[in-house]
Structures are given as C-alpha cells and as structure tokens.
Amino acid sequence: MSGNKEESEVEVKSVFIGAGCNRVVNNVSWGASDLVSFGAQNAVAIFCPKTAQILTTLPGHKASVNCTHWIPSTKFAFKAKQLDRHYLLSGDTDGAIILWELTLAGKKWRQVLQLPQSHKKGVTCITGIMVSETDAIFASTSSDGTVYVWELVLTSAGGECKLSCLETLFVGSKPMVALSLAELPGNSGHMVLAMGGLDNKVHLYCGERTGKFVHACDLKAHTDWIRSLDFSLPICNDEANSILLVSSSQDKGIRIWKMTLRGSLTNNQGTYRKEEISLASYIEGPVLVAGSSSYQISLESLLIGHEDWVYSVEWQPPSITSVEETTYHQPQSILSASMDKTMMIWQPERKTGIWMNVVTVGELSHSALGFYGGHWSPDGNAILAHGYGGAFHLWKNVGVDVDHWQPQKVPSGHFAAVTDIAWARSGEYMVSVSLDQTTRIFAPWQNSASLTDKESWHEIARPQIHGHDINCVAIIQGKGNHRFVGGADEKVARVFEAPLSFLKTLNLATCQKSSFPENLQVDVQILGANMSALGLSQKPIYVNTVQETPERNGNDGLDTLESIPDAVPVVFTEPPIEDQLAYHTLWPESHKLYGHGNELFSLSCDHEGKLVASSCKAQSAMVAEIWLWQVGSWKAVGRLQAHSLTVTQMEFSRDDSMLLAVSRDRQFSVFTIKRTGTDDVSYQLLARQEAHKRIIWSCSWNPFGHQFATGSRDKTVKIWAVEQESSVKQMMTLPQFSSSVTALSWVGIDRQSNHGLLAVGMENGLIELWSLTINKSAAATLAVRFDTSLCHVSSVNRLSWRNPEKSEECRRMQLASCGADQCVRVFDVITK
C-alpha cells in the first residue's frame, strides 16, 4: 500500500474516505458484487453498503465522472455466481469511458483499458447485459448525438478482455439520455436496444449479436423528455415469449410496455380477454420485426403517482427459484425515483392485475431536494437513492411477514471541493468545510456492539449549513467547550460553539473518552440550533425551552415550500443518517467577527487558544492585512500589515511566539507576538522576503523549533530558519516536485535529534512524506510516496496531523487530507 518498495521507512494505509456523489443522473450503479459505484468529481468511488464505508477511489478520469455501470449489474447477479472477476464501466464529461476490473479474491482493482473511440461530449448513460457467462454487450450514449454498441468478451484467469465496437448509431440533434438492452425472447441471437431522450419518444433498434442495429419502431406516449428505460428479463420461464419495458419521463408518468412474440399472441389472447375484459383491452402499439420474428408491442400500464420528474425506473433483480440455481424468477416489481423526494415500489395487484404503488419512502425528508436515481440491491431487500445534495439514502426491508422499510447508514461527504480541515484539540473528531456550503464533522465511532471493537469513521454532525461557499476553518484550542471559527465567501467570520446534544453524542461515539467530560457539560445551556430562513445565522435552541412549540401565525402557513422545519436536537446512540444530519445537528453561532473588506480566505488559531488570525482575499496592501482576534471577548487586537495580495495560509509557531504568513505576492512574513497583559497583544514584523517565483500556497512550522517550510506553485518546497538576530535564512530546497505544492504539514517524531516528517500535497492530488532532520543544517530524504490509489485525483487543499503533540510517543500516526475531488481522507502512517 505504501508506494515505492525501496522506501520501507514508513508504511501508509487508508483508514477513511468521505465523499459525496456527483449530482447527475445515471451516476450510481449497484453491482452483482454487492458493491456500489459512483462518481466523486474525477474519481470513481466504490462503497460497501454493508459497512457504510467507501472502500477505494479509482483514479484515471481527467474530467468529472457522469455515469458508472457494473458488468454484471444486479439484474444479472443470478448469472454471476461463478465469476471471480467483475467489471465496471465509467464515463466522464469529456466523453472518455474506462473499463475497470475487480478481482473478488483479493478485492484488487485495475484499470483494464480506455475505450478507443470516445464520445465528443459528455457520456450520459451506459447500460450493459450479460449474454453468456463470458460475453457482455453494452451501449453508451452522449450529448454528441451518438450511441455506441460494444461487445466485451471477459477473460478466464490471467487473459486480457477483448473489446470490439459492434455499431455506431447517429441519433440526430436531439441526444438520447436513457438506454436499455435486452435479448429478444424466443429468438436467439437478436437483441433490442431502447433509447429515449429529448424528443419524448422511445426508439427501438434491433440487431444481431454481431452488430447491424437497425431502427425498428418508435413508441410515442410521453409528453416530455424520457429520463430512464429498463427491460425486464422474460417474466416467467414457461411462457418466455414476452418481455416488459418500463419508461419514465419528465412528464411525471411511468409507462410499462409489453413486447410479445407474434406467433404466440393469438393462442392465449382469447382466454386472456375473457378473464379481464375491461382491463385487458390495452392499447395496441406498433409491431417490431427482428429477423424472421415479429413482436407486438402494447401499452401494459400507466403509473401515475409522482408529483415531479421521474428520473429513474428499475426492475427488481431476478431471484433464483431452484436449488440448483438454474432457473430464476423475474419479480413483477418496479422501483422509481423522482425529484419529488420520494422513491416508490410498484407491483400489480393479485386479483385485478392493476399496477399499484405498494411502498413509498423518503417523503418526510426535507433534506433530499429530490432524487436523481434509485437502485435495487442484488437480493431485492434494499433500495438506494442518490439525491440533489450529493447524499445517499438507503432503506432495507427488515419486515418478516410484512414489508417494513427502515433507513440504513450510508457513507456521506461533501459534494464540492473541500477547502479546509481541522482536528479537534484532542483529535476526537475532524471538521471539514467545503464549497458545497456545509461544515461537517467526521469521527471514528467505537462499535461497542461489535465483537471486533473496531472503530469505523462516520459523519456525526453538520454544524453549519450556509448560504455561501466556505473557505476556511480553525478549531479553538485550549480548555472549555468545543468551538470553531469558519470563514466563507463573506466579510464576517463566524464563531460556533458545540451544543449539549453534540457533546453527549461525542461521548457515546468515543466511549466517554471526550476531552470535555460530562461534569463540565452542566454549564452548556444550549441544546442545538435552528436554521434561519436565509441560511446564514443559526439561532440557539435552549435546554429549558424544548417543550414549547412556537405558535405559527396565519401567514406562515402560506409559505410552506420555503419554510424550514424546526430542528429537533437529539443525542445519537449510533451514527446519524442524512435526514438527521441535514437539520438536527447544527451548532449555534455565538459571535460574528467584523473587520475584513473582502471574502475570508484563511484562519488560524494559536496553540494556547488565546488568539485567532484571519485573512481575506486581497489585491492591495490595505485589504491584505491580517487581523488578530482575542478568543472569548472576540475583540480585534491587531492588524498586521506585510503583504500586498491575498494571504493564503497562516500558522502560529509551536510556542505561540511567532506568526508565519504566506501570500499570493510570493513573499512570506514572520511576526513576533507578545502578550503584554490580559488583553493587550504586541506584535512586530520580524522578517519578510520574496521566497518563491510563483504564488506560495502553504506553510508549516517545525514543532520542535523555529524552522518552517513553504510550498509554492513553482513546484518547490523550501526550509527556512529564524535566526537569533531576528532574520530568516534559507536552509535548503527539497528536490523539485512533479506538480504545484498546495499543502504542507510538519509533525515532530524525535525532539532529541530534531527529526520529523513533512507531508507534502500537490495540485495533481499526490501526497509525499519527507523525513527532515534539522541541526546546523537540514537533511531531507523522501520517506514515502503515497500510492496513487490512496491519493486524491485533484488538488490537495489541506493536510493536517492528528494529535501532533503525541506523535513522539507512538509509531502510528494519522494524517488527514482534503481536496478538490470532494474527498476527506484519513491515513495511518506507521513509522518503522
């Protein structure tokens, strides 16, 4: 896992990945492997629904991932029992499609190939079927108006996959956004491809296994864009002469079409009609001709129930009916997901055959803002939705005799670039902020119930949901309640304080190892916080007023769409799910810090918890000044002028006697900070110099002394030392890196020899650890280069060590990172 083999000084393992899902239709796929794939910015992420953990991210795409599709998908799970390898297709907004291979035995991934013919524009849908245990056919469509059909011959152990393009179809100026493939029943060798899109029609193409797809007919009924199509397998084995196609559209309707082999239509039509004379007189549609066979298409049913666009429909995967696993049964059951925040399961009534909505989930959720897609688990006992907020929602049928669908834990994370992270003062949790306008808290949850006593990481709170992109965060060190300062694309910094509900949840998560014990929590009078209507200030909910429900006056009722539900802060005994995170875990805002003239860009707190430094976006020396705030009174106690452009990062030295700042103006500055009384702070510019040829993105102090590192867009990291006679001299420059250096974090390992590790994060997403020993001169060696499969796929925005003051005692440390790829990652770093 650690990358280069010859560098065995340090070993690196991935502990946790938190990431949100790209907010596009067709982005998620649940495979026969029982793993779920989704696009997270330019990476393909894989999560395990059983553990609610993201297992890995696959680097390879150079643009945002739009769609993923497993081969075999859940529909063919009954055919996949013997397979030792599963395959995954992923398409991006540049039109590239990559094929990945998962070896089940070792859970090993590899990139097999990138499809040779790429679409000119973004891929919008990929669908595939298994025609035999070693043969798959898949199709892809794109905004460029083309549909490609491919054949993939899967390998036996050790060989390579064979890929061939069977057909290229041009669909004109109105692109197709939904595809489904099926083998025609009772007619071996012929296949049907259904496609739908912006012209409101379902187009059916017939073809042979060798290609030659020709347009057969159109189904016209929907009045808006077609969003999803799915063929069933033949409904039952003894009458395998018909298949069903389900289509959904932005006209809020779902239609089920039946395709029946013509030869058999007459035989059972008489008996069929007698039984259900009123309902069976369904609408005759066109005839589809495939080779020597023809199929009558008819509209079986129209399902009305959703109140907004229906983004996805999917047949329940077939279940195996015999012990030998040779026969399967296609359940008459359809899952639909809509922008109206609900997913529905539809099944025909036993007596009348009328399709009814039998299960509805999600309608109580205020957080979802609509679903982009819904998927069945391979066994049909769980359903997964992904929504507008980049979040997953999973329900499992836990009922014994009757259906009872219960929400389950899922992985979660930001759905836009993560800009900053900070560890709690004792490392119990990590706070991250993002351009998705949320602040989230991730923590290891001790599973006391499980036998292994293994901790697993989860999002345990969402302290801030804001109306602006959030750029920076700093956790207040020192004693007392947990507090943090956040800075967004606005001129004020906001201070937040942990409510009682969070403190009690944290105690449960850490098994009472919290740094703010129960006996101190008595003073906390705030239970939680409510969202304001504009989503800026969060108002406290006090402990003693919980029972009162505010009287709503008459006018409030009119504005139900825009009203925000009152939060119900509760103590969680297990990791919360999305609905709870979205409203009930907010922290109250205690102060606003006014002073800066532009949007906040960077924040830092000293190690004693007495001062906070802040900076904002700037293009002049006046605006670029650093403000110092006193923790507690929150008075501005200093305005430090040194730079002419945005200060990109600041850090206090370990003894809090100096403040280091680096800026877009390619200079760093070092200020001495002295506390002269209880309130007064004196400061003086000790040194300022141009350090790099390009913008300096990051800086970090040596925890054991007054040396520091700076990292820049010029791809270099330089080590500097503050001399006694109040000047700064350069000690060394590390060898040039492969990309801009965007993040640095220095941790001490041995004070005696002044030895430490410097984590270096780059714009290409890669992370390296350098071993530094500082004496009269500095010595540096590369300790480890993280394997690309562990790294980010876009710029690393921040690196931070957990509990750096304990690093000397233990060989196992943890490093957190966040990046533009929507991911928050935690690594175990084990020094040998």
Side-chain angles (χ1 to χ4, degrees), residues 497-520:
E497 191 158 328
L500 194 59
S501 58
F502 172 80
L503 298 172
K504 291 186 168 172
T505 299
L506 186 65
N507 262 351
L508 288 169
T510 56
C511 297
Q512 311 297 323
K513 293 185 200 136
S514 168
S515 64
F516 188 58
E518 297 251 341
N519 53 1
L520 295 176

Side-chain angles (χ1 to χ4, degrees), residues 459-660:
E459 184 179 346
I460 63 163
R462 209 167 290 170
Q464 187 186 12
I465 296 173
H466 203 43
H468 295 288
D469 294 0
I470 310 175
N471 300 321
C472 48
V473 66
I475 286 186
I476 309 297
Q477 306 299 317
K479 295 182 172 59
N481 195 0
H482 298 265
R483 288 175 292 180
F484 72 84
V485 187
D489 273 348
E490 52 179 350
K491 298 175 187 179
V492 290
R494 297 171 187 270
V495 185
F496 295 86
E497 191 158 328
L500 194 59
S501 58
F502 172 80
L503 298 172
K504 291 186 168 172
T505 299
L506 186 65
N507 262 351
L508 288 169
T510 56
C511 297
Q512 311 297 323
K513 293 185 200 136
S514 168
S515 64
F516 188 58
E518 297 251 341
N519 53 1
L520 295 176
Q521 294 176 16
V522 186
D523 300 336
V524 180
Q525 292 300 306
I526 295 174
L527 187 63
N530 262 325
M531 186 84 142
S532 68
L534 290 172
L536 292 175
S537 295
Q538 288 161 202
K539 306 286 187 288
I541 301 171
Y542 290 94
V543 172
N544 51 3
T545 57
V546 174
Q547 283 74 25
E548 300 170 24
T549 52
E551 286 294 314
R552 301 246 163 191
N553 60 35
N555 295 340
D556 282 6
L558 300 173
D559 202 9
T560 49
L561 281 175
E562 298 305 318
S563 67
I564 291 165
D566 285 330
V568 186
V570 288
V571 179
F572 296 110
T573 53
E574 58 178 28
I577 59 170
E578 179 67 21
D579 283 5
Q580 296 162 327
L581 287 166
Y583 281 102
H584 306 316
T585 60
L586 294 168
W587 288 21
E589 187 183 302
S590 60
H591 291 87
K592 292 183 181 70
L593 311 182
Y594 293 98
H596 286 290
N598 279 336
E599 300 94 331
L600 278 146
F601 195 80
S602 133
L603 284 163
S604 180
C605 179
D606 68 358
H607 298 84
E608 219 183 324
K610 300 279 176 68
L611 285 178
V612 169
S614 63
S615 74
C616 71
K617 294 177 184 174
Q619 290 188 324
S620 66
M622 188 69 184
V623 184
E625 57 190 9
I626 297 165
W627 286 59
L628 291 180
W629 309 87
Q630 188 172 48
V631 172
S633 70
W634 296 110
K635 288 194 312 204
V637 290
R639 292 166 69 171
L640 286 55
Q641 291 189 343
H643 296 282
S644 55
L645 294 172
T646 307
V647 172
T648 51
Q649 196 183 353
M650 302 166 290
E651 193 176 286
F652 286 90
S653 62
R654 191 68 195 82
D655 59 6
D656 289 339
S657 65
M658 295 182 196
L659 174 66
L660 164 67

Side-chain angles (χ1 to χ4, degrees), residues 21-177:
C21 179
N22 289 343
R23 302 188 297 163
V24 284
V25 188
N26 299 331
N27 185 23
V28 176
S29 177
W30 198 331
S33 56
D34 206 14
L35 297 177
V36 175
S37 61
F38 66 96
Q41 208 239 14
N42 299 355
V44 179
I46 308 295
F47 90 77
C48 172
K50 287 191 173 65
T51 60
Q53 296 290 305
I54 297 177
L55 304 178
T56 187
T57 53
L58 309 177
H61 286 283
K62 295 182 176 60
S64 182
V65 176
N66 261 356
C67 47
T68 62
H69 187 80
W70 282 92
I71 291 181
S73 60
T74 47
K75 189 189 287 189
F76 295 96
F78 71 96
K79 279 190 182 178
K81 293 279 185 276
Q82 286 78 37
L83 289 180
D84 55 350
R85 292 158 192 231
H86 285 234
Y87 294 84
L88 178 67
L89 291 155
S90 57
D92 65 29
T93 50
D94 278 355
I97 296 175
I98 294 179
L99 175 69
W100 312 86
E101 178 187 77
L102 166 67
T103 309
L104 291 179
K107 288 275 185 277
K108 286 211 168 28
W109 282 93
R110 76 180 181 101
Q111 182 177 329
V112 182
L113 51 85
Q114 182 170 331
L115 267 58
Q117 263 170 286
S118 69
H119 290 283
K120 306 284 183 293
K121 292 183 182 171
V123 183
T124 51
C125 182
I126 301 174
T127 185
I129 59 169
M130 301 282 293
V131 285
S132 71
E133 285 194 359
T134 56
D135 206 358
I137 307 275
F138 68 91
S140 62
T141 180
S142 154
S143 328
D144 62 7
T146 59
V147 175
Y148 290 134
V149 183
W150 303 82
E151 180 177 34
L152 179 67
V153 180
L154 308 178
T155 59
S156 51
E160 278 298 313
C161 295
K162 291 192 184 66
L163 182 80
S164 51
C165 184
L166 298 182
E167 187 69 271
T168 305
L169 302 167
F170 297 97
V171 297
S173 59
K174 293 196 168 176
M176 297 292 121
V177 294

Side-chain angles (χ1 to χ4, degrees), residues 392-444:
F392 290 106
H393 305 258
L394 177 68
W395 288 268
K396 192 174 180 187
N397 188 3
V398 293
V400 183
D401 298 325
V402 288
D403 281 6
H404 181 45
W405 294 85
Q406 281 284 82
Q408 304 292 309
K409 285 200 294 280
V410 281
S412 64
H414 293 283
F415 57 86
V418 188
T419 45
D420 201 357
I421 46 173
W423 285 100
R425 51 179 181 246
S426 303
E428 313 98 301
Y429 61 85
M430 172 175 61
V431 172
S432 61
V433 296
S434 161
L435 304 183
D436 70 4
Q437 309 190 343
T438 65
T439 302
R440 300 177 192 235
I441 290 182
F442 297 96

Side-chain angles (χ1 to χ4, degrees), residues 237-282:
N237 289 0
D238 48 314
E239 188 220 336
N241 55 16
S242 63
I243 53 171
L244 297 177
L245 169 67
V246 60
S247 61
S248 75
S249 160
Q250 289 181 184
D251 64 12
K252 309 176 192 174
I254 300 165
R255 289 170 188 268
I256 304 174
W257 310 84
K258 189 170 191 177
M259 295 174 59
T260 312
L261 191 59
R262 285 260 330 247
S264 60
L265 187 72
T266 49
N267 300 349
N268 50 19
Q269 198 159 352
T271 54
Y272 200 68
R273 284 274 161 90
K274 244 177 265 171
E275 283 169 32
E276 314 164 30
I277 190 75
S278 56
L279 292 164
S281 50
Y282 47 67

